Amino acid sequence: MAKVAINLSTGSLQQEEIIVGIDLGTTNSLVAYIHPETRQPVAINDLGRGTIVPSVVYFPQGGETPIVGTEAKEYLLTDPQNTIYSVKRLLGKSYRDLGEHAQDLGYKVIDDNSEGMVKIRVGDRFYSPIELSAEILKELRARAEHALKTPVNKAVITVPAYFNDSQRQATRDAGRLAGLEVLRIVNEPTAAALAYGIGLSPDEEKTVAVYDLGGGTFDVSILRIQQGIFEVLSTNGDTYLGGDDLDRAIINHWTAQHNLNSLLANNVPLQQELRLLAEAAKRYLSKDDDFGANFTENLVLRLTRTEFNELIRPLVERTITSCRQALADAKLTPQDLDAVLLVGGSTRVPLVYDSVSEFFQQPANNTLNPDEVVALGAAIQADILAGNRRDVLLLDVTPLTLGIETLGGLMDPIIPRNSKIPTKAGRQYTTSVDGQVNLKISVYQGERDLVKENRKLAEFDLRGIPAMPAGLPKVDVNFILNADGILKVEAVELRSNTRQAVEIKPQYGLTDEQVEQMLMDSLTHAREDVAARMVIEARTVAEQMLYQVERFVEKNSLHLTEDEITETAAATERLRESLATNTKDTILKAVDELEELTRPFAERVMNISIKQAMAGKKIE
Ligand code: AMP
């Protein structure tokens, strides 16, 4: 029974709207929701057909509506041209993106425009992967509506962490086409972590690995969860490695062992039977040790767990290589991980479980159903967005831009206003003077271009930067704004790992009226702000140029002629004078002149120094 609310303005009863979580997978898809009484996520099992809906769409010849799911899967061998599977691999891709993999599919992918998005030909109609994915989503939506006996119009849909913008957008569009408002696209590993209850408490800090081995794809992601923010530190994987390959290893083994090649040739039903038997053996060997079944009248096919392990070991090893790479990319060791989560039906294979646990040096967590875990997490995310877990995660927006002061008193926005919180953003900076060992970081809030018009929140020094030439230190400044609006600013010099952090409460002391006033000001002053910014930017360019030219002349006077030195001094003076005018065009003109003048001999000196360096000497 769904929760019922009373609409206070009309006095009428209204049912709380259900937002479902959808795992739109390459091989299988599922839809889940939060049970209103138990408050637990549940995968929907409509009419007892099971929770898993194979991501297969069959277009019956002459028929109007396509068939989706287990029933459609049966046509994969008998009517492959009209049976579309693995459409997720095509989402948001051009024909060129697909490359040689386009030929591996049993159906026809259109290649007349290699730049455009792929289309699939079924009979005399063309479908985009978005339309086909929408068919799967429509089926999931229908099952949810039928099982829950209520309209379903909103959803959270998951995508792999490595999906790019175009693939995410395509997923969103598919949702819209299926009549769903897609409230959020969530990364699959994030959903898996949520399902395991990780990241649900705001002050939790955890680092986890999510290992996902499905029917046709494999990926591993390393996530850092900090103050309700899920950050993907790295991902790795193979989009053409999964349970199907384990089945194929068994098929190849039996075919070779019993010389089945001639028997199987041109016998599609027999090939199909062998494939089903191989998958049955694989599943059986996840629990028991010896598999045996009749294939043809006088042939029994057998496989032991030990034999199976040897057949699949190279495939499992490939996944471990990816894990090693993902961990290295995240600059972590197994000891840094708080948990290893397993996703995807193929993680039920004992060798997979053992290998993953051994590599990460801890027992992997497989307590939730690996087929359902992503959909369950998506349902939790949906519940958060529905506002049912305010105690858990406050998804709010920050009313004013947060940024730091850069050269010339300019505001460099890091987190723009209206960003959903919690959020995290950062940028890299460097020093402007040779040998600079401190960097002042001033944090501001507001919409104006000049920091002096905004509100200063904090200031701190990043000290102990090793002395280096200007521009060499790499300082990462990160803003982490948690769900309570508390801002943590961290600065790290990457070459030396010098770090410093402060915590600030930006909203403190600002009333709604003040926030409104700051926004109004930014609009009324927009034009003069832009002009002031341009002058400051020109001044900054000029000051950098002066600094560099003077240093250059000082260091390389031996390689310059008398005339070059005097001419440069005059041009430098003119540039300095132009600064006094405070006019953008005058300053930039003087910058250009000085640059024109010095370029030829700067190049000459560069050549000399390269030659000398190659001769093993160093000039200054
Ligand atoms: P998914 O794409 O996550 O739905 O994964 C489906 C894959 O998991 C298929 O290749 C299945 O054969 C495989 N699978 C499901 N159950 C088992 C099991 N008990 N043992 C081994 N593999 C399984």
Side-chain angles (χ1 to χ4, degrees), residues 503-548:
E503 211 162 84
I504 311 154
K505 203 169 182 181
Q507 269 312 93
Y508 185 73
L510 275 191
T511 62
D512 283 355
E513 289 74 39
Q514 283 169 316
V515 169
E516 222 163 88
Q517 187 60 46
M518 287 172 91
L519 290 176
M520 286 302 291
D521 281 351
S522 75
L523 294 179
T524 39
H525 296 290
R527 191 173 294 159
E528 51 181 278
D529 272 3
V530 170
R533 175 180 273 272
M534 290 201 306
V535 174
I536 290 172
E537 281 173 350
R539 288 187 71 99
T540 308
V541 171
E543 274 157 11
Q544 296 276 322
M545 180 90 194
L546 282 172
Y547 177 74
Q548 278 165 6

Side-chain angles (χ1 to χ4, degrees), residues 322-360:
S322 288
C323 294
R324 190 172 293 118
Q325 190 57 47
L327 209 52
D329 290 345
K331 299 192 174 54
L332 297 176
T333 63
Q335 288 78 26
D336 296 317
L337 296 176
D338 297 294
V340 177
L341 311 177
L342 297 183
V343 178
S346 303
T347 59
R348 292 196 181 92
V349 172
L351 183 71
V352 170
Y353 180 87
D354 293 342
S355 306
V356 174
S357 302
E358 186 192 1
F359 172 74
F360 287 111

Side-chain angles (χ1 to χ4, degrees), residues 27-28 213-215 243-244 279 282-283 286 344-346 348-349 371:
T27 339
N28 293 318
L213 187 62
D244 298 344
E279 198 195 346
K282 173 182 76 175
R283 288 172 186 260
S286 289
S346 303
R348 292 196 181 92
V349 172
D371 291 316

